[in-house]
Amino acid sequence: MTAEPTSAQFSAALRSLTWQDHEKAEYTDYTQALLQGRLNLAGYTALVAQHYFAYVVLEEAAERMRDDAIGSLFVFDSLFRVPALEKDLEQLLGATWREQIEPSASTQEYLNRLRETCFDWPGGFIAHSYTRYLGDLSGGQFIKKAVQKAFGDTAVAFYDFPRIPDHNAFKARYRALLDEVSWDDGERQRVIAEAVLAYQLNTKVLAELGRDLAKYLA
Ligand code: HEM
């Protein structure tokens, strides 16, 4: 990591110092097949299932963070994804969906890190929340279009934020909140490092899905 100053505009530093890792998440074989509409429904379902496990833990952590002075500023019920993922999985796999899915090895590693960092450390919770939710509000919207093109309106509740009509305004507010937190430079560096790790853990999940790509191609 470069020694770029993080104090002036923390949100800008967070974005620029994680962007290289963003590119890696965006350009996995699996992500590209998804974006290009080359996956079959089982291939898409595999991602929805892995998302489910991660968001359950992240949103359990959010409940814990409601009592934290800093963490609570970043708990937005309007972002919560678990109800939408449950709906999507029921649509994709039927009423017995819970019995049909399990976390992959990479998801297990991601869940372990979420449990280690997001329940007692607001910076960790914020790093992981930022990496997922701002992504869902950004690139997620491109994925939604690709999924709709491939499968119609099947199981895209995950990408809908009915209580956030203006994504850009929400992201601007989230970035302003990041800039306002009174963290010293050391803590800011730790949060950025955790966001880098969050990207890497997500990329591993996607890479593992990519190992089954032959089975998942339409
Ligand atoms: C599927 C491929 C993806 C595409 C096409 C994509 C595209 C984008 C684009 C265009 C933006 C900029 C939006 C803006 O300036 O407001 C963005 C932002 C973001 N994406 Fe992605 N993305 C993808 C995958 C991911 C993944 C897998 C993650 C996380 C694991 C992620 C996390 C983020 C985050 C956190 C931001 C906000 C960065 C910031 O402004 O601070 N993206 N993405």
Side-chain angles (χ1 to χ4, degrees):
M1 195 183 293
T2 56
E4 198 168 310
T6 56
S7 45
Q9 269 262 347
F10 175 63
S11 63
L14 176 60
R15 183 190 168 102
S16 68
L17 293 171
T18 55
W19 201 250
Q20 214 183 330
D21 293 281
H22 178 278
E23 300 284 283
K24 289 184 189 144
E26 185 175 343
Y27 290 100
T28 70
D29 291 345
Y30 178 88
T31 324
Q32 289 303 302
L34 175 64
L35 277 176
Q36 292 162 12
R38 292 190 282 116
L39 292 182
N40 57 31
L41 200 55
Y44 175 57
T45 305
L47 177 66
V48 182
Q50 298 313 309
H51 276 159
Y52 171 74
F53 293 109
Y55 283 89
V56 165
V57 178
L58 188 56
E59 290 171 15
E60 270 172 30
E63 293 304 335
R64 179 80 72 87
M65 282 294 149
R66 285 192 200 276
D67 297 330
D68 183 276
I70 294 175
S72 60
L73 301 172
F74 293 84
V75 177
F76 294 93
D77 293 1
S78 56
L79 287 176
F80 283 4
R81 297 292 83 202
V82 170
L85 286 162
E86 289 176 341
K87 191 174 158 204
D88 287 345
L89 285 166
E90 185 161 356
Q91 203 177 7
L92 289 163
L93 295 169
T96 62
W97 62 270
R98 278 178 205 278
E99 293 142 43
Q100 299 176 55
I101 62 172
E102 57 179 26
S104 68
S106 310
T107 294
Q108 202 57 68
E109 195 184 335
Y110 184 19
L111 303 182
N112 291 344
R113 187 68 190 175
L114 290 171
R115 288 198 186 96
E116 275 165 29
T117 53
C118 296
F119 286 75
D120 300 313
W121 175 34
F125 168 69
I126 292 164
H128 284 278
S129 299
Y130 158 83
T131 308
R132 281 304 332 174
Y133 296 119
L134 256 60
D136 299 332
L137 288 167
S138 310
Q141 301 307 302
F142 296 95
I143 299 176
K144 179 187 179 185
K145 287 198 183 81
V147 172
Q148 281 177 316
K149 207 169 157 201
F151 310 117
D153 274 334
T154 309
V156 284
F158 174 72
Y159 300 102
D160 284 335
F161 292 86
R163 290 163 65 192
I164 305 182
D166 183 341
H167 291 189
N168 286 334
F170 184 92
K171 287 191 284 184
R173 192 168 138 228
Y174 199 99
R175 290 187 189 110
L177 272 175
L178 286 167
D179 292 336
E180 281 162 21
V181 181
S182 56
W183 284 323
D184 63 20
D185 271 359
E187 181 63 1
R188 287 179 163 184
Q189 295 289 356
R190 279 189 290 279
V191 172
I192 291 173
E194 192 62 31
V196 166
L197 186 59
Y199 272 115
Q200 291 168 348
L201 291 165
N202 273 275
T203 303
K204 270 190 162 183
V205 172
L206 295 164
E208 190 172 351
L209 288 168
R211 289 208 284 275
D212 288 326
L213 208 53
K215 169 170 108 185
Y216 289 155
L217 290 178

